[in-house]
C-alpha cells in the first residue's frame, strides 16, 4: 500500500477530547436525546456507540426506546416533548424507521434548532444556500478529515458516488462550497468508472461492497469511503476496493476506522453547537 491512511478514529478522539474541555465550564452540559424505534441490531449498535461517546465527552445523553409497532402519532408526540424540553439541545431519530412510519413527517417535526443530524428540510435548505446551520454529520466529518489532512480543495475535481439526502447530496454541496468542481454519480449514471477516473477527490457513498474498483482511481487521488457493508462472514467492508485503490491513491480512509467515528464526533459537535446557541454563548 502506498496511500496514506486517513485515520478517522484518531482524529475523532482528538476532536472529542477538545470538545470535552470546551463544554466543561458551560452552565449545563449539552443535552442529546435519541429516539430508537424497534430493535434493529445495527441501529442498536449505532445508538449505543453514540451514547458511549456522549458520556465520555460529558454530554447529557438520554435515550427513548419505542416499540416497533409504535404509531406515528405517539412518535410525533415524543418529538414534541423533546422540542419543548429546555434541557434538550439535540434530537436524533435513529434511521431507518420500521415500515409504516412516515420518516419525512417524523424528521419535519424536529425543531430545526435541535436538528443535530441536519436532515430536516430547513437544515437541507440552509445548507443548499450556504447558510451556517447544523450540517449532516457524515459529510461534515469527511470535510474535517480532508481539512486535517491538509487537502487543498479549491479548483479540484471531485466525484461523489451516491446522492442520498443524508450523505451524497450534502457531501456534493459542501465540496462545491469549498470550490471543487463536483460530479454526482447515481444508479442511472453511465460509466461511473470514467467519472471516478477523472477525480482528484472521490467520495463513495453507495452501500455496495467494493463497488469502486481500485483500477478506476486516478493516481494521486484522495479516496473517501463512506460505505459500511457487512459481509456474510460478519466482516465490515466499505464501498471501495481499499487495497487496490491504496496502490494508486495518495490517501484513503479505512473501513472501519475512517468516516464512521467522524460521523459520531460531528454529532457531538453539532449537539454542542446547538447548545451553545441556545445558551447564548455564541
Ligand atoms: P442510500 O441507499 O440512501 O443511497 C445510495 C446511493 O447510491 C443512491 O444515491 C443510489 O443512486 C446510489 N447507487 C446505487 N447503486 C448505484 C450504482 N450502481 N451506481 C452508482 N450509484 C449507485 O445510502 P446512504 O447514502 O444512506 O449510505 C451509503 C453508504 O454509506 C451505506 O453503505 C451506508 O451504510 C453508509 N453510511 C455510512 C455512514 C458512516 O458514518 N460511515 C453514515 C451513513 C451511511 P439512486 O439515487 O439513483 O438510487
Amino acid at each position: 500500500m502506498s496511500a496514506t491512511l486517513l485515520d478517522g478514529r484518531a482524529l475523532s478522539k482528538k476532536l472529542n477530547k477538545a470538545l470535552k474541555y470546551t463544554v466543561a465550564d458551560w452552565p449545563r452540559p449539552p443535552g442529546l436525546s435519541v429516539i430508537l424505534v424497534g430493535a434493529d441490531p445495527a441501529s442498536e449498535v449505532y445508538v449505543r456507540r453514540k451514547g458511549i461517546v456522549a458520556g465520555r465527552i460529558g454530554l447529557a445523553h438520554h435515550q427513548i426506546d419505542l416499540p416497533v409497532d409504535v404509531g406515528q402519532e405517539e412518535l410525533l408526540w415524543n418529538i414534541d416533548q423533546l422540542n419543548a424540553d429546555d434541557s434538550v439541545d439535540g434530537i436524533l431519530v435513529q434511521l431507518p424507521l420500521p415500515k409504516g412510519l412516515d420518516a419525512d413527517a417524523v424528521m419535519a417535526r424536529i425543531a430545526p434548532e435541535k436538528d443535530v443530524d441536519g436532515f430536516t428540510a430547513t437544515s437541507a435548505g440552509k445548507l443548499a444556500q450556504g447558510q451556517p446551520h447544523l450540517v449532516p454529520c457524515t459529510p461534515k466529518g469527511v470535510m474535517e478529515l480532508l481539512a486535517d489532512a491538509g487537502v487543498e480543495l479549491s479548483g479540484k475535481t471531485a466525484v461523489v458516488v451516491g446522492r442520498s439526502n443524508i450523505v451524497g447530496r450534502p457531501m456534493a454541496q459542501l465540496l462545491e462550497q469549498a470550490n471543487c468542481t463536483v460530479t454526482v454519480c447515481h444508479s442511472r449514471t453511465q460509466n461511473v468508472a470514467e467519472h471516478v477516473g477523472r477525480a482528484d477527490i472521490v467520495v463513495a457513498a453507495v452501500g455496495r461492497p467494493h463497488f469502486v474498483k481500485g483500477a478506476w482511481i486516478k493516481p494521486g487521488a484522495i479516496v473517501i469511503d463512506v460505505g459500511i457493508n457487512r459481509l456474510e462472514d460478519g466482516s465490515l467492508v466499505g464501498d471501495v476496493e481499499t487495497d487496490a485503490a491504496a496502490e494508486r491513491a495518495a490517501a484513503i480512509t479505512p473501513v472501519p476506522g475512517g468516516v464512521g467515528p467522524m460521523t459520531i464526533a460531528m454529532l457531538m459537535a453539532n449537539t454542542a453547537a446547538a447548545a451553545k446557541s441556545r445558551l447564548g454563548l455564541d
Side-chain angles (χ1 to χ4, degrees):
M1 182 188 286
S2 60
T4 303
L5 273 188
L6 299 175
D7 187 345
R9 197 168 279 146
L11 179 59
S12 67
K13 274 190 186 153
K14 197 169 96 182
L15 295 173
N16 291 338
K17 198 169 171 191
L19 191 60
K20 177 179 174 169
Y21 290 114
T22 301
V23 303
D25 58 357
W26 288 7
R28 63 162 177 78
L32 172 65
S33 282
V34 177
I35 298 181
L36 176 64
V37 183
D40 173 64
S43 292
E44 284 182 330
V45 170
Y46 291 139
V47 166
R48 199 177 317 126
R49 270 196 213 136
K50 289 167 187 171
I52 290 169
V53 176
R56 280 195 200 127
I57 294 172
L59 305 194
H61 175 257
H62 170 233
Q63 183 173 329
I64 298 174
D65 292 301
L66 297 174
V68 69
D69 58 354
V70 69
Q72 179 87 7
E73 286 310 314
E74 189 179 341
L75 176 52
L76 294 179
W77 180 87
N78 275 278
I79 294 172
D80 289 343
Q81 299 303 110
L82 298 176
N83 282 338
D85 185 336
D86 257 350
S87 69
V88 174
D89 301 296
I91 302 170
L92 183 152
V93 178
Q94 184 65 39
L95 299 177
L97 287 171
K99 284 200 181 74
L101 293 170
D102 179 350
D104 289 340
V106 169
M107 288 299 130
R109 196 68 159 240
I110 297 172
E113 69 276 14
K114 297 191 179 188
D115 174 26
V116 286
D117 250 343
F119 293 166
T120 63
T122 302
S123 300
K126 289 196 175 208
L127 176 60
Q129 295 196 349
Q131 296 174 22
H133 186 66
L134 299 164
V135 171
C137 303
T138 300
K140 182 173 168 148
V142 170
M143 296 304 282
E144 288 282 342
L145 264 174
L146 292 170
D148 182 69
V151 176
E152 176 58 55
L153 294 174
S154 184
K156 296 288 170 57
T157 300
V159 168
V160 179
V161 191
R163 58 174 169 182
S164 72
N165 285 334
I166 64 172
V167 188
R169 184 165 290 128
M171 186 75 252
Q173 290 168 331
L174 289 171
L175 288 167
E176 183 262 331
Q177 286 165 14
N179 298 316
C180 287
T181 302
V182 184
T183 300
V184 178
C185 298
H186 47 76
S187 64
R188 307 295 173 89
T189 301
Q190 303 288 310
N191 215 338
V192 177
E194 222 169 74
H195 290 288
V196 170
R198 281 195 290 270
D200 301 311
I201 292 136
V202 180
V203 181
V206 190
R208 293 180 176 217
H210 301 151
F211 176 82
V212 173
K213 307 300 173 211
W216 297 359
I217 303 299
K218 176 176 162 179
I222 310 292
V223 179
I224 305 289
D225 191 352
V226 176
I228 302 176
N229 308 286
R230 195 168 287 283
L231 301 183
E232 275 182 12
D233 65 5
S235 60
L236 280 185
V237 298
D239 288 347
V240 178
E241 267 185 351
T242 310
D243 290 348
E247 296 299 330
R248 299 167 69 88
I252 191 165
T253 56
V255 176
V259 176
M262 290 302 295
T263 296
I264 298 181
M266 293 302 105
L267 173 66
M268 304 304 142
N270 275 351
T271 303
K276 192 175 181 192
S277 163
R278 296 185 64 253
L279 288 166
L281 301 172
D282 279 329

